[in-house]
Amino acid sequence: MMIIRIKELRNNHRHSQEFIIENTGVDVSHIENGRDTPSVLSISRLCKFYGITLSEFFAPINYPPKE
């Protein structure tokens, strides 16, 4: 789910993977192809870059209800 959100943010802003890597230091190419799992630090850097909060980053993810 986080991979989808990262791709969505990048594509919505029409940024290439290379542009994000150069401007954030986050290797989104490895994350998007499943080679790496994004760390909290990586997600935090992406949020700062895109001007959103962690809550906003995770908002579109529909978690299953707790029992």
Side-chain angles (χ1 to χ4, degrees), residues 28-65:
V28 291
S29 63
H30 286 185
I31 293 170
E32 289 183 7
N33 70 25
R35 289 174 45 194
D36 290 337
T37 302
S39 67
V40 173
L41 179 59
S42 294
I43 294 170
S44 179
R45 285 181 182 169
L46 291 170
C47 287
K48 184 175 181 180
F49 180 76
Y50 285 116
I52 62 172
T53 65
L54 285 170
S55 295
E56 291 168 323
F57 178 87
F58 288 106
I61 297 175
N62 296 316
Y63 294 103

Side-chain angles (χ1 to χ4, degrees), residues 4-21 28-29 32 50:
I4 293 168
R5 180 66 169 137
I6 291 168
K7 283 182 184 180
E8 177 184 72
L9 281 169
R10 188 175 61 75
N11 289 330
N12 286 347
H13 289 87
R14 298 182 182 173
H15 292 149
S16 67
Q17 290 177 337
E18 293 78 17
F19 181 82
I20 299 302
I21 294 167
V28 291
S29 63
E32 289 183 7
Y50 285 116

